[in-house]
């Protein structure tokens, strides 16, 4: 290819990379819940540009690293996807509902999805007691536990069946503090515990529970929008990797 052809090709690569990068910016700052898809687009745009300016040897090295990354990502996603369907129907003594963001006084869509799954489970298992777990974060006028308590009460769940745990700021604390509450309420040596969370989060929740020597069943809350679900399944690959490596 002549000099003019190479310039034309590099210009085309630059335009394509720029368009993809702009799409990433739009998703990152214009649409909540799409940040990891945006990061993927940033990576693609950088790679398109880099592949147009580096030599053959470096291209081969980058391609090898990318292939290794894809293989690892595929392997780590297998248990995440496998656990997303939950553990089927079962009776639990306690149902821990993991918190999510509250916008002022209003539960986020993710939290409402978890609450819907919790209500369905509680309706089907009338002897189960719910522990709603989540502290108060930035931009929240109340604790996530209080928002969940209010939502479930308005949905017809008896207040005697709902216990608030309003201190936790992480999944680890959700499970740890809820376990302490359960220990104070029952004489059973091994009460049956279920956990409600978004389907993409269940694998990591089980790993965290295992680190606390907790045996849990899982109840999936289904994410409404496909692109948000895809984004968080991508994110969980990093979350699970961190949990396996450092926890």
């Amino acid at each position: 290819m002549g000099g003019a052809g190479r310039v034309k090709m590099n210009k085309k690569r630059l335009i394509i990379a720029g368009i993809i990068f702009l799409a990433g910016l739009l998703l990152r700052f214009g649409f909540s819940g799409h940040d990891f898809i945006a990061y993927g687009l940033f990576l693609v745009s950088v790679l398109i540009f880099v592949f147009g300016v580096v030599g053959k040897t470096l291209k081969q090295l980058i391609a090898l690293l990318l292939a290794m990354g894809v293989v690892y990502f595929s392997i780590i996603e297998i248990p995440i996807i496998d656990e997303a369907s939950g553990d089927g129907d079962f009776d639990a003594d306690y149902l821990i509902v993991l918190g999510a963001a509250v916008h002022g006084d209003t539960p986020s869509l993710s939290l409402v999805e978890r609450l819907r799954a919790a209500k369905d489970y509680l309706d089907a298992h009338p002897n189960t007691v719910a522990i709603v777990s989540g502290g108060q974060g930035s931009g929240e006028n109340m604790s996530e536990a209080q928002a969940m308590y209010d939502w479930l009460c308005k949905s017809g769940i008896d207040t005697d069946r709902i216990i608030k745990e309003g201190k936790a700021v992480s999944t680890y604390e959700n499970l740890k503090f809820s376990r302490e509450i359960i220990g104070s309420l029952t004489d059973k040596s091994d009460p049956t515990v279920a956990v409600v969370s978004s389907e993409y989060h269940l694998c990591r929740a089980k790993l965290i529970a295992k680190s606390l020597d907790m045996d849990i069943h899982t109840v999936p809350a289904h994410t409404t929008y496909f692109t948000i679900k895809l984004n968080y399944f991508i994110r969980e690959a990093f979350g699970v990797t961190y949990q396996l490596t450092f926890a």
Side-chain angles (χ1 to χ4, degrees):
M1 184 181 292
R6 283 195 296 271
V7 170
K8 184 177 180 179
M9 180 60 70
N10 286 337
K11 184 177 181 181
K12 184 178 180 180
R13 284 178 180 272
L14 186 61
I15 291 172
I16 294 172
I19 291 172
I20 294 174
F21 190 85
L22 289 173
L25 286 176
L26 179 62
L27 284 177
R28 176 64 183 85
F29 297 106
F31 296 90
S32 177
H34 292 80
D35 45 345
F36 277 81
I37 295 177
Y39 300 149
L41 292 176
F42 294 154
L43 176 61
V44 170
S45 68
V46 170
L47 289 172
I48 290 173
F49 174 76
V50 168
F51 266 70
V53 297
V54 301
K56 182 179 179 180
T57 301
L58 192 51
K59 283 181 182 178
Q60 291 174 340
L61 177 60
I62 294 172
L64 176 61
L65 292 174
L66 282 173
M68 292 171 62
V70 169
V71 169
Y72 174 77
F73 179 82
S74 300
I75 291 172
I76 204 70
E77 282 290 336
I78 291 172
I80 296 172
I81 294 170
D82 184 57
E83 292 289 353
S85 58
D87 290 326
D89 192 30
F90 53 87
D91 281 314
D93 297 308
Y94 296 94
L95 180 71
I96 302 171
V97 188
L98 301 186
V102 175
H103 304 308
D105 302 323
T106 305
S108 63
L109 176 60
S110 180
L111 186 54
V112 170
E113 290 162 347
R114 296 179 186 189
L115 289 166
R116 288 171 180 162
K119 182 183 185 304
D120 289 343
Y121 185 90
L122 292 169
D123 284 342
H125 301 271
N127 294 321
T128 300
V129 174
I131 300 175
V132 290
S133 176
Q136 183 173 347
S138 176
E140 298 178 341
N141 295 340
M142 61 177 68
S143 70
E144 294 166 9
Q146 184 64 54
M148 288 189 279
Y149 178 89
D150 293 344
W151 192 98
L152 288 172
C153 289
K154 290 177 182 177
S155 298
I157 303 300
D158 195 315
T159 57
D160 293 339
R161 299 179 63 198
I162 310 170
I163 299 169
K164 291 180 286 185
E165 185 292 297
K167 299 184 297 180
V169 295
S170 66
T171 303
Y172 178 87
E173 291 188 354
N174 288 141
L175 297 175
K176 180 177 183 291
F177 297 159
S178 295
R179 181 183 63 175
E180 291 171 358
I181 291 173
I182 292 170
S184 70
L185 294 174
T186 182
D187 294 328
K188 287 187 177 181
S189 60
D190 190 22
T192 306
V193 178
V195 172
V196 174
S197 191
S198 303
E199 71 278 89
Y200 53 79
H201 186 233
L202 294 179
C203 179
R204 184 152 55 103
K206 274 196 170 181
L207 289 173
I208 294 170
K210 185 177 180 180
S211 74
L212 289 164
D213 294 322
M214 290 179 67
D215 183 21
I216 64 169
H217 299 277
T218 53
V219 178
H222 299 290
T223 305
T224 303
Y225 297 110
F226 173 77
T227 53
I228 294 177
K229 183 188 296 188
L230 175 63
N231 178 81
Y232 285 113
F233 268 106
I234 295 171
R235 185 195 71 174
E236 283 303 299
F238 298 93
V240 168
T241 297
Y242 180 89
Q243 185 65 30
L244 291 172
T245 305
F246 299 106

